[in-house]
Amino acid sequence: MNNLAHILSEIKKIVGENYVFTDQETLNNYGHDETEDLTFPPHIVVKPANTFEIAEIIKLANEFKIPTTPIGGKTGLSGGALSVYGGIALSTERLNKIIDIDEKNVQVITEPAVITQILREAVADKGLFYPVDPSSLGSCFIGGNIAENSGGARAVKYGVTKDYVLNLEVVLPNGEIIWTGANTLKNATGYNLTQLMVGSEGTLGIVTKIVLKLLPKVNHNILMLVPFYKAEQACEAVSEIFKAGITPSALEFMERDAIDWSLRYVEGISVAVKPNHQAHLLIEVDGNYLGILMQEAEKIVSVVEQFEIDEVLFADTEDQKNALWKMRRGVAEAVKANSVYKEEDTVVPRYELPKLLKGIKQIGEKYGFKSVCYGHAGDGNLHVNIIKANLSEEQWQKEVPKGIREIFELTVSLKGTLSGEHGIGWVQKNYMDIAFSKTHLELMEGIKRIFDPNNILNPGKIFPDEDI
Amino acid sequence: MNNLAHILSEIKKIVGENYVFTDQETLNNYGHDETEDLTFPPHIVVKPANTFEIAEIIKLANEFKIPTTPIGGKTGLSGGALSVYGGIALSTERLNKIIDIDEKNVQVITEPAVITQILREAVADKGLFYPVDPSSLGSCFIGGNIAENSGGARAVKYGVTKDYVLNLEVVLPNGEIIWTGANTLKNATGYNLTQLMVGSEGTLGIVTKIVLKLLPKVNHNILMLVPFYKAEQACEAVSEIFKAGITPSALEFMERDAIDWSLRYVEGISVAVKPNHQAHLLIEVDGNYLGILMQEAEKIVSVVEQFEIDEVLFADTEDQKNALWKMRRGVAEAVKANSVYKEEDTVVPRYELPKLLKGIKQIGEKYGFKSVCYGHAGDGNLHVNIIKANLSEEQWQKEVPKGIREIFELTVSLKGTLSGEHGIGWVQKNYMDIAFSKTHLELMEGIKRIFDPNNILNPGKIFPDEDI
């Protein structure tokens, strides 16, 4: 980076000495998120206090054409927050206040660095409900959820992040500040820049304030764990549950290895997994009337009983529910602890799930890799963890990407796409041609140029290498 | 239009002689929708049979830079389908098939010219539910609903059109065809062109196939009509109902004149409106358990009873329900039959509704016009019908627009915006500066240029006159 000394001194003028970092430890720390084993240290880490400081930093970055990558909770799984071209890592962490829980309009206005779980708990204290709960909810930031259009376990009934975002304050790549929309449930006023911003992975602007719609609190739920003797049958059961007229509030799939590894990794949980259990479905229904939930749970049992299953486990206490969720949410970290891996975030219409799972296993056999699959089956969203284990470096670098390409081709042929909730970021960008034609990618790139003609904001993401 | 003869002959080659029209009656017929008293006859009306014919027409239009305006059910209220610069009116009416009701994935794939009500009934026959029901549902096209991001009475509980659109086949302004996304409930793969297309009023592409998510059918509802002695109290009651933890499936507001005019205009309905009723709320709850709905209805009654109301009317039969809805849906046409008028589609966070109504009346007094207000109060979406009645042409053309500007300024100051569900189209475009800064409008215009560099597709819409 040229002019480093000058830029550093200008940035210090904006945010103060104490919030600019160039020591190697900090650079390394802000050079990674939860994506595989990747680290891209930036040249500078800056921690602005508010929208205006961010705007000033961005103006400077735009003037000197410095790559600038917003970084939040560092829980991303596609490398969206990595400073792949160095430059400035702009941490939003000091913008961490819930500005207003607006009970009168059933909305919340928040800064981006509020941890999703803290936001959920704060609105729950007022009798309100923010349903989106990515597995990393205890550490991810709501701003990152917007950048990646995060989903999670409750999306099957309640939708994903984009379904709750009403309005965003955004610092544009030229340093100007706009609100993308209005604080209204309906809006037919010009192009929907709010929805364009959601899922744009920090490439079009830096989100500095967020208006989310909320729901009334839901009081009850029932949680059950269903062991299947055949993994594909677990996938088949998924669309049958919906066919019976039930919309579960969560419908999660775990392959054998996923549950095994998580049980070993996460403390304080015991589930009697038998040797012949190939997969489990974790199923939750929620609502305000326990009697109705019990009817729904019985209906679900009668659906899954049509498949080859072992005894259904019902969580009797809050502790048991928490333990089952801890096990489910622990899968990702358990996989990470077990082996170097690559995670793909495939998504298909839910009825196609058995075909997807079967195809992934066949592709794995062809290229000689093992995969551990789990995810949000109710959404057709299957996380495919490809395990390095004993593969040679050459197999890992050359053969596995061919297999991943085939997995994505299968996904798209089933009317699905590359990512359900993790984003494209750095690690999937060279597969974009599978989902999109050249014309289509050019439209997206054209939008990027309109917002960010100097390509300073989170460069190197989303678009294939040859394209930008 | 230059080259008219040549272009006509080329278009006839594409679609056949029988589907190209230049007679004055047809041109006039396709020169208007339901917007005020406006008519802009195109030079040519063309009725292609399918996506490929549309692509060929668009390529021709792009080559010869002919303004081309897609037109559907002609029920629009912002002039979005009017050929304001002449050229080609491209009617989608022959693309009127429901392609597949996909029960396995709880989705429907349809062409754009299916009437919304027909789509709703077709999926209901399979036990499924498409909730979006604009007041014009008996004649509007689902494609038009996407163009304008239509809402309607059930949006308060179920959301608007955008919340159901998963994927769109679109003919771009250069004649190329893309699918904007995937047929999945979750998607974090590149910029969300699906959501960018929804509500873009036919300015970015022509939608030729639509994938919508559906819900399981809902079996019961309860409908009640509540007469208020004070209109502002009716507005105040709206957010109190939500505060009580109820999410009604419809929550409609009608000012005195709206209900009076509709009762006179729509046949076969009698409601005992008393002289001192200033406004009514029409409130529906729905669900699968009648007992619970009755509890919710009682809760609603206990909320509205805290205001000055007359006796609540419950619809006892399906016929009574239909009659009340016919009355509500008839307001727009009743207003139209009563006087020349301008309709504004204001939307605010719902708690701000009383302030909005009061402000509108004050602005009306200042500029000497009368307004009839009604709409989807649960969404904060208030339709303001400004009545010409005995105003002079000069007052109508010069003074009323100043008042409208003040109404929109008020709306935006309350964190609302110009249009909740009708779109900006032709009639509101010169108010866009109230909602958006120059920078913001330039971003939207930049997107338009990326998609449509020759500005052939539905030119003269959304953007202020001085801007494009």
Side-chain angles (χ1 to χ4, degrees):
Chain A
M1 203 162 99
N2 300 325
N3 309 314
L4 184 59
H6 173 67
I7 287 155
L8 257 178
S9 107
E10 291 298 309
I11 291 181
K12 284 178 183 170
K13 280 186 210 157
I14 296 167
V15 300
E17 295 264 347
N18 292 340
Y19 297 108
V20 185
F21 304 84
T22 52
D23 62 290
Q24 203 55 48
E25 190 185 340
T26 305
L27 298 182
N28 286 341
N29 188 19
Y30 286 80
H32 71 86
D33 57 11
E34 290 292 325
T35 311
E36 302 172 12
D37 51 351
L38 300 171
T39 303
F40 291 92
H43 294 93
I44 303 173
V45 172
V46 57
K47 303 182 181 179
N50 54 47
T51 305
F52 303 104
E53 290 187 5
I54 292 176
E56 290 307 307
I57 295 164
I58 294 295
K59 278 180 201 161
L60 190 73
N62 200 35
E63 186 186 341
F64 291 95
K65 301 197 172 46
I66 307 161
T68 302
T69 299
I71 186 162
K74 297 189 282 180
T75 60
L77 292 165
S78 57
L82 304 182
S83 296
V84 294
Y85 293 139
I88 301 168
L90 191 155
S91 169
T92 59
E93 67 198 72
R94 291 173 67 206
L95 285 77
N96 61 358
K97 278 164 238 45
I98 298 174
I99 297 168
D100 183 27
I101 300 174
D102 178 357
E103 295 173 76
K104 303 185 304 290
N105 289 305
V106 198
Q107 300 176 357
V108 58
I109 306 180
T110 181
E111 291 187 323
V114 174
I115 290 175
T116 306
Q117 185 164 320
I118 289 177
L119 185 82
R120 285 167 53 95
E121 288 169 0
V123 304
D125 285 346
K126 308 273 186 185
L128 298 171
F129 181 32
Y130 178 66
V132 186
D133 65 339
S135 290
S136 58
L137 81 169
S139 48
C140 64
F141 289 177
I142 188 74
N145 295 176
I146 282 159
E148 304 298 330
N149 192 14
S150 301
R154 271 56 181 234
V156 59
K157 178 168 178 180
Y158 292 105
V160 296
T161 304
K162 81 170 173 56
D163 300 309
Y164 293 86
V165 182
L166 300 180
N167 202 359
L168 296 169
E169 184 190 70
V170 174
V171 176
L172 297 169
N174 65 1
E176 289 195 55
I177 301 161
I178 63 167
W179 279 95
T180 54
N183 297 6
T184 55
L185 295 171
K186 283 174 165 172
N187 194 338
T189 313
Y191 300 154
N192 195 335
L193 298 195
T194 308
Q195 291 293 324
L196 184 63
M197 204 58 61
V198 177
S200 66
E201 309 198 44
T203 64
L204 298 179
I206 297 180
V207 170
T208 46
K209 290 193 186 75
I210 300 156
V211 183
L212 298 167
K213 90 171 173 183
L214 301 171
L215 298 178
K217 202 170 165 180
V218 173
N219 295 316
H220 300 290
N221 62 61
I222 293 177
L223 185 65
M224 65 188 97
L225 185 70
V226 187
F228 284 77
Y229 295 120
K230 291 179 178 159
E232 271 178 63
Q233 285 196 359
C235 289
E236 285 167 27
V238 169
S239 57
E240 291 300 315
I241 290 168
F242 290 88
K243 216 170 148 183
I246 311 278
T247 304
S249 49
L251 210 178
E252 301 283 305
F253 169 85
M254 282 164 289
E255 252 194 320
R256 176 60 193 239
D257 282 344
I259 203 166
D260 270 357
W261 293 4
S262 186
L263 285 171
R264 281 204 300 270
Y265 180 80
V266 179
E267 282 175 19
I269 298 167
S270 99
V271 174
V273 178
K274 293 187 197 154
N276 53 354
H277 293 168
Q278 261 194 23
H280 287 72
L281 289 182
L282 182 67
I283 311 172
E284 184 192 83
V285 286
D286 76 354
N288 286 322
Y289 300 93
L290 204 51
I292 291 169
L293 294 187
M294 286 164 80
Q295 287 175 36
E296 290 188 350
E298 278 171 28
K299 245 191 195 174
I300 290 172
V301 170
S302 72
V303 170
V304 293
E305 277 177 351
Q306 295 163 30
F307 299 89
E308 297 166 56
I309 63 166
D310 202 349
E311 203 173 336
V312 178
L313 169 73
F314 280 87
D316 285 328
T317 63
E318 280 306 304
D319 281 351
Q320 277 187 23
K321 286 178 188 172
N322 290 337
L324 287 176
W325 276 115
K326 205 170 160 190
M327 175 192 74
R328 165 59 190 88
R329 293 192 200 283
V331 175
E333 285 186 42
V335 169
K336 196 186 263 292
N338 222 287
S339 166
V340 170
Y341 74 109
K342 288 180 193 287
E343 178 162 358
E344 311 309 329
D345 176 37
T346 58
V347 62
V348 292
R350 74 169 80 93
Y351 181 78
E352 309 297 347
L353 214 47
K355 277 183 232 165
L356 178 63
L357 184 69
K358 193 174 173 184
I360 288 167
K361 298 300 171 185
Q362 287 169 344
I363 292 164
E365 278 171 32
K366 179 172 164 190
Y367 290 95
F369 62 75
K370 179 179 165 156
S371 63
V372 180
C373 297
Y374 66 96
H376 314 297
D379 310 316
N381 186 194
L382 193 70
H383 301 319
V384 184
N385 286 261
I386 298 170
I387 307 301
K388 188 171 179 206
N390 301 323
L391 292 182
S392 71
E393 201 57 32
E394 198 191 331
Q395 281 177 299
W396 187 242
Q397 299 297 349
K398 293 207 171 153
E399 290 305 303
V400 167
K402 290 184 203 162
I404 293 173
R405 181 162 275 274
E406 282 195 29
I407 288 172
F408 284 139
E409 284 166 351
L410 172 64
T411 308
V412 170
S413 77
L414 295 170
K415 310 280 182 207
T417 191
L418 311 183
S419 174
E421 55 179 18
H422 294 171
I424 295 305
W426 167 255
V427 293
Q428 269 81 26
K429 65 178 178 170
N430 286 322
Y431 302 108
M432 285 287 273
D433 63 292
I434 300 168
F436 301 109
S437 66
K438 198 165 154 40
T439 299
H440 200 144
L441 282 171
E442 281 170 1
L443 288 176
M444 292 190 200
E445 289 159 4
I447 292 169
K448 168 69 173 168
R449 273 195 307 277
I450 291 296
F451 278 73
D452 185 13
N454 294 325
N455 195 26
I456 59 148
L457 205 54
N458 206 4
K461 307 296 167 64
I462 299 181
F463 302 108
D465 282 330
E466 64 270 30
D467 278 38
I468 274 200
Chain B
M1 204 162 101
N2 300 325
N3 310 313
L4 185 57
H6 173 66
I7 287 155
L8 257 178
S9 107
E10 291 298 309
I11 291 182
K12 283 177 183 170
K13 281 185 210 159
I14 298 167
V15 299
E17 295 263 348
N18 292 341
Y19 297 107
V20 185
F21 304 84
T22 52
D23 62 291
Q24 203 54 48
E25 191 184 339
T26 306
L27 299 183
N28 286 341
N29 188 19
Y30 286 80
H32 70 85
D33 58 10
E34 290 291 326
T35 312
E36 302 172 11
D37 51 350
L38 299 171
T39 303
F40 292 91
H43 293 94
I44 303 173
V45 172
V46 57
K47 302 181 182 180
N50 54 48
T51 306
F52 304 105
E53 290 186 5
I54 292 176
E56 291 307 308
I57 295 164
I58 294 295
K59 279 179 200 161
L60 190 73
N62 200 32
E63 186 186 343
F64 290 95
K65 301 197 172 44
I66 306 160
T68 302
T69 299
I71 185 163
K74 296 188 284 180
T75 60
L77 292 166
S78 57
L82 304 181
S83 296
V84 294
Y85 293 141
I88 300 169
L90 191 154
S91 171
T92 59
E93 66 196 72
R94 291 172 68 205
L95 285 78
N96 61 359
K97 279 165 239 39
I98 297 173
I99 297 168
D100 182 27
I101 299 173
D102 178 356
E103 294 172 76
K104 302 188 303 295
N105 288 305
V106 197
Q107 298 178 356
V108 58
I109 306 179
T110 182
E111 292 186 324
V114 174
I115 290 173
T116 306
Q117 185 164 320
I118 289 177
L119 184 82
R120 284 167 54 96
E121 287 169 2
V123 305
D125 285 347
K126 309 272 186 186
L128 298 171
F129 181 33
Y130 178 65
V132 187
D133 65 339
S135 291
S136 57
L137 82 169
S139 48
C140 63
F141 290 178
I142 189 72
N145 293 176
I146 283 160
E148 304 298 330
N149 191 15
S150 300
R154 268 59 179 232
V156 60
K157 177 168 178 180
Y158 291 105
V160 296
T161 303
K162 84 170 172 53
D163 299 311
Y164 293 86
V165 181
L166 300 179
N167 203 357
L168 296 169
E169 184 189 70
V170 173
V171 177
L172 297 169
N174 65 0
E176 288 196 56
I177 300 161
I178 63 168
W179 279 95
T180 53
N183 296 5
T184 55
L185 294 172
K186 280 173 167 174
N187 195 337
T189 313
Y191 300 154
N192 196 335
L193 299 195
T194 307
Q195 291 294 325
L196 185 63
M197 205 56 64
V198 177
S200 66
E201 310 198 44
T203 63
L204 299 179
I206 297 179
V207 171
T208 47
K209 289 192 188 75
I210 300 156
V211 183
L212 298 168
K213 91 171 174 184
L214 301 171
L215 298 178
K217 202 170 164 180
V218 173
N219 295 315
H220 301 289
N221 63 60
I222 293 177
L223 185 65
M224 64 189 98
L225 184 70
V226 187
F228 284 77
Y229 295 121
K230 291 181 179 157
E232 273 178 61
Q233 286 197 359
C235 290
E236 287 167 26
V238 169
S239 57
E240 291 299 315
I241 290 168
F242 290 87
K243 215 171 150 184
I246 311 278
T247 304
S249 50
L251 209 178
E252 302 282 305
F253 169 84
M254 282 164 289
E255 251 194 320
R256 175 60 193 240
D257 281 345
I259 203 166
D260 270 356
W261 292 5
S262 185
L263 285 171
R264 281 205 301 269
Y265 180 80
V266 181
E267 282 175 19
I269 298 166
S270 99
V271 174
V273 178
K274 292 187 197 155
N276 52 353
H277 294 167
Q278 261 194 25
H280 287 72
L281 290 182
L282 182 67
I283 310 172
E284 185 192 80
V285 287
D286 76 354
N288 287 321
Y289 301 93
L290 204 52
I292 290 168
L293 294 187
M294 285 163 80
Q295 287 174 35
E296 291 188 348
E298 277 171 30
K299 245 191 195 172
I300 290 172
V301 169
S302 73
V303 170
V304 293
E305 276 176 352
Q306 294 162 29
F307 298 90
E308 297 166 54
I309 63 166
D310 203 350
E311 204 174 336
V312 178
L313 170 72
F314 281 88
D316 286 327
T317 65
E318 281 306 304
D319 281 351
Q320 276 187 22
K321 286 177 188 172
N322 290 337
L324 287 177
W325 276 115
K326 205 171 159 190
M327 175 190 75
R328 166 59 190 89
R329 293 192 199 285
V331 175
E333 285 185 43
V335 170
K336 197 186 262 290
N338 221 288
S339 167
V340 170
Y341 74 111
K342 289 181 193 289
E343 178 162 358
E344 311 310 328
D345 177 37
T346 57
V347 62
V348 291
R350 73 169 81 91
Y351 182 78
E352 310 297 346
L353 214 46
K355 277 182 231 165
L356 178 64
L357 184 70
K358 193 173 172 186
I360 288 166
K361 297 302 171 184
Q362 286 169 344
I363 292 164
E365 277 171 32
K366 179 173 163 188
Y367 288 96
F369 62 75
K370 179 179 165 157
S371 63
V372 179
C373 297
Y374 65 97
H376 313 298
D379 310 315
N381 186 195
L382 193 70
H383 301 320
V384 184
N385 286 262
I386 298 170
I387 307 301
K388 187 170 180 209
N390 301 323
L391 293 182
S392 71
E393 201 56 34
E394 199 191 328
Q395 281 176 301
W396 187 242
Q397 299 299 348
K398 295 206 169 154
E399 290 304 303
V400 167
K402 290 185 203 164
I404 293 173
R405 180 160 276 272
E406 281 195 29
I407 289 172
F408 284 140
E409 285 166 350
L410 172 64
T411 308
V412 170
S413 78
L414 296 170
K415 310 279 182 206
T417 191
L418 311 183
S419 174
E421 56 179 17
H422 295 171
I424 295 304
W426 168 253
V427 293
Q428 269 81 26
K429 65 178 177 170
N430 286 320
Y431 302 107
M432 285 286 272
D433 64 293
I434 299 168
F436 301 109
S437 66
K438 197 165 154 41
T439 299
H440 200 146
L441 281 171
E442 280 170 2
L443 288 175
M444 293 191 197
E445 288 160 4
I447 292 169
K448 168 68 174 169
R449 273 195 308 276
I450 291 295
F451 278 74
D452 185 13
N454 294 324
N455 195 25
I456 60 148
L457 205 55
N458 206 5
K461 306 296 166 65
I462 298 182
F463 301 108
D465 282 328
E466 64 270 31
D467 278 37
I468 275 197

